[in-house]
Amino acid sequence: MIKLLLLVAYLLTVTAQLLLEWLNVRYRRRSGHPLPDLFTQGIDQLRLKRSEEYAAAKDQIGLVETLLGTMLTLMFIFGGLLPWYDRFISGLTDHFILHGLLFFGLLTLIQGVVGIPFSLYRNFVLEERFGFNRMGIRLWLSDMVKSLLIGALLLTLLIGGALWLVQAAPHSWWLWVWAFWAGLSLFLLLLSPYLIEPLFFTFKPLAKPELEDRVRSLLERAGVTAGKILQVDASRRSGHSNAYFTGIGKVKRVVLFDTLLEQLNDEELLAVLAHELGHWRCGHLRQRLIKGQIVALLSCFVAYSLLNAQILSGWFGFAELSFVGEALLLGWLAALLGFFWTPVSSWWSRQQERQADQFAIDLVGSGMPLATGLVTLARENLSNLFPHPLYAAVYYSHPAMIERVEWLQQRTPTGGSLSVEDGPAAD
Ligand SMILES: [Zn+2]
């Protein structure tokens, strides 16, 4: 009975996702969306048509992926493959930790292999067709091998460590596992800019010496002392442009894609920087970390209670499953519930983006450079300018482009009609 309910719940969420996609496609295709002046200066009809084609191409491959994923999930969780797989791994070893590592390791590997054709198609067909791909097959391969090795190392650490704690502290492991994972993720956050990211990218100080003084004065006015402004060679892989901020304590950094530096003029670049500095000054990463850890602590406790009670295999109609088999079901349930959490977390993220935009307006004295920069960004990245409002409310981590630019303009008393030369992206 519970199994049936779970199956229905799963199929309903998949249907809801497909429905949202459908609404979004229909809305985008509807002609006659009004385009504000600032956009018409930089984006012509041809460009709009190109963005529509780009969005459609991404939708197609996304749909194939969703359908395949749903089919595999149905087979694995509801079609009886999971208990078979669990027994197969148990036949290889009866060592608790090794069993768990093999169980998740092999599954992750299969998932990775299934993902290979999609990754190849995305980079070398889709992105290539729209002129974004800059990667050769060698770089793609070396990226994949590196990710595989790093992934294997992290998986061994995370799963192996957690299973060791489960054995060592059978009555309080939820607290220890949480503390271990929290410590490890903090450690990775601090060290990834030095250990992991340099394996894929080269980070350099901003190659715009004429901007140096203005950047320094911007930092001073923003009250940011520690921290680095860097550019990254994203152009080796893709023509897409963006910017992001990361780090806590003394390792804070704002990273601008080199593609962004090519596309934006100086004023727009400073405005994007100001937006990223806003994220620091408003403590957004800290808030995100704290929220994440509270959720993680609660999840560990719920996981402990449910796994101790050994009721999950019964819910799914299986006679018996190993500890990690039940843990996998739990993860699947969490992902199912996560769908309902998506609109909340998107809304929350949009609030933070608004705050950072407001900070940028206050710092540079106008919303116009950020607005024109965003228009350029939309043009260069072939962004979808017309998402369905419901779709944007559920999934968008940033305010939809037109709404965001209009908001920036409204906050700028002079209103202005700056020409659109080049554009940024802002995380
Ligand atoms: Zn942002």
Side-chain angles (χ1 to χ4, degrees):
M1 186 58 191
I2 297 180
K3 182 181 182 177
L4 186 67
L5 280 177
L6 288 166
L7 179 62
V8 170
Y10 175 63
L11 291 176
L12 279 178
T13 56
V14 174
T15 312
Q17 284 168 33
L18 291 173
L19 209 63
L20 277 170
E21 296 291 340
W22 177 74
L23 277 178
N24 203 35
V25 172
R26 220 181 49 153
Y27 189 82
R28 194 178 63 225
R29 288 206 181 135
R30 218 170 64 187
S31 55
H33 291 286
L35 200 59
D37 284 351
L38 205 58
F39 284 87
T40 49
Q41 292 170 30
I43 300 174
D44 57 18
Q45 284 304 316
L46 206 70
R47 199 80 187 165
L48 274 181
K49 192 162 169 281
R50 194 92 176 127
S51 339
E52 150 68 24
E53 286 164 1
Y54 183 49
K58 284 196 293 184
D59 282 346
Q60 272 170 16
I61 183 75
L63 181 65
V64 175
E65 241 174 337
T66 304
L67 293 178
L68 181 69
T70 306
M71 210 177 70
L72 291 177
T73 305
L74 285 175
M75 269 163 55
F76 196 73
I77 306 271
F78 293 98
L81 259 185
L82 171 59
W84 174 86
Y85 176 74
D86 198 28
R87 279 195 303 276
F88 167 72
I89 300 288
S90 301
L92 299 177
T93 174
D94 51 9
H95 188 280
F96 182 67
I97 297 175
L98 200 59
H99 174 269
L101 287 177
L102 273 175
F103 183 94
F104 284 113
L106 193 59
L107 267 187
T108 313
L109 196 65
I110 294 170
Q111 211 177 14
V113 171
V114 172
I116 286 178
F118 288 99
S119 170
L120 283 171
Y121 180 85
R122 276 215 160 84
N123 284 301
F124 298 109
V125 180
L126 201 159
E127 294 288 300
E128 184 81 34
R129 186 178 137 209
F130 289 91
F132 289 122
N133 181 45
R134 307 258 174 97
M135 246 195 295
I137 193 79
R138 279 183 62 157
L139 184 57
W140 179 87
L141 257 178
S142 97
D143 274 4
M144 198 186 64
V145 171
K146 283 182 205 165
S147 315
L148 192 75
L149 293 176
I150 293 169
L153 189 71
L154 285 181
L155 192 96
T156 309
L157 260 175
L158 283 167
I159 307 278
L163 289 176
W164 183 80
L165 288 167
V166 168
Q167 264 193 325
H171 303 296
S172 56
W173 62 256
W174 61 276
L175 193 59
W176 296 107
V177 168
W178 169 76
F180 172 61
W181 282 353
L184 199 63
S185 51
L186 204 61
F187 179 75
L188 283 173
L189 185 70
L190 288 171
L191 287 187
S192 156
Y194 305 103
L195 288 182
I196 300 177
E197 288 167 27
L199 292 175
F200 296 92
F201 297 102
T202 310
F203 295 87
K204 282 191 210 141
L206 274 201
K208 283 220 165 191
E210 72 277 12
L211 264 186
E212 224 167 77
D213 285 344
R214 300 181 69 186
V215 168
R216 208 170 302 131
S217 122
L218 192 75
L219 284 173
E220 229 164 76
R221 275 185 287 138
V224 173
T225 44
K228 283 181 184 158
I229 313 290
L230 300 168
Q231 70 174 66
V232 63
D233 59 342
S235 59
R236 282 182 66 212
R237 291 178 174 76
S238 159
H240 284 296
S241 47
N242 212 337
Y244 67 91
F245 78 104
T246 178
I248 42 173
K250 289 233 158 73
V251 293
K252 291 199 205 103
R253 36 203 234 155
V254 167
V255 178
L256 304 173
F257 286 23
D258 54 356
T259 38
L260 189 72
L261 293 165
E262 290 160 22
Q263 293 166 6
L264 292 191
N265 68 35
D266 290 356
E267 304 301 325
E268 294 167 339
L269 212 56
L270 287 167
V272 171
L273 257 180
H275 168 96
E276 300 302 333
L277 293 177
H279 281 305
W280 277 0
R281 284 309 309 259
C282 303
H284 288 162
L285 191 64
R286 197 175 51 228
Q287 288 173 22
R288 220 173 288 177
L289 276 176
I290 293 172
K291 186 191 77 165
Q293 288 312 326
I294 292 172
V295 174
L297 184 62
L298 287 174
S299 308
C300 280
F301 183 72
V302 172
Y304 165 81
S305 312
L306 286 174
L307 290 173
N308 246 9
Q310 291 187 320
I311 48 176
L312 282 158
S313 25
W315 283 4
F316 287 84
F318 302 137
E320 200 190 7
L321 280 181
S322 67
F323 181 83
V324 284
E326 290 220 325
L328 180 114
L329 287 178
L330 201 60
W332 181 83
L333 268 180
L336 188 66
L337 290 174
F339 175 70
F340 299 95
W341 180 250
T342 312
V344 182
S345 106
S346 299
W347 173 84
W348 194 65
S349 166
R350 288 195 301 271
Q351 301 303 109
Q352 293 193 333
E353 295 304 331
R354 275 264 192 275
Q355 271 183 13
D357 279 352
Q358 183 62 58
F359 186 89
I361 295 174
D362 295 341
L363 199 61
V364 301
S366 161
M368 282 315 283
L370 189 56
T372 59
L374 285 168
V375 171
T376 308
L377 175 73
R379 184 187 71 207
E380 296 296 324
N381 288 300
L382 291 176
S383 307
N384 174 21
L385 294 176
F386 313 113
H388 190 282
L390 187 62
Y391 188 92
V394 173
Y395 291 116
Y396 274 31
S397 61
H398 291 62
M401 197 57 91
I402 290 182
E403 184 194 324
R404 187 175 177 190
V405 165
E406 286 187 326
W407 187 87
L408 284 165
Q409 278 181 292
Q410 278 161 17
R411 307 251 142 178
T412 306
T414 44
S417 56
L418 294 180
S419 73
V420 183
E421 273 302 318
D422 280 311
D427 162 57

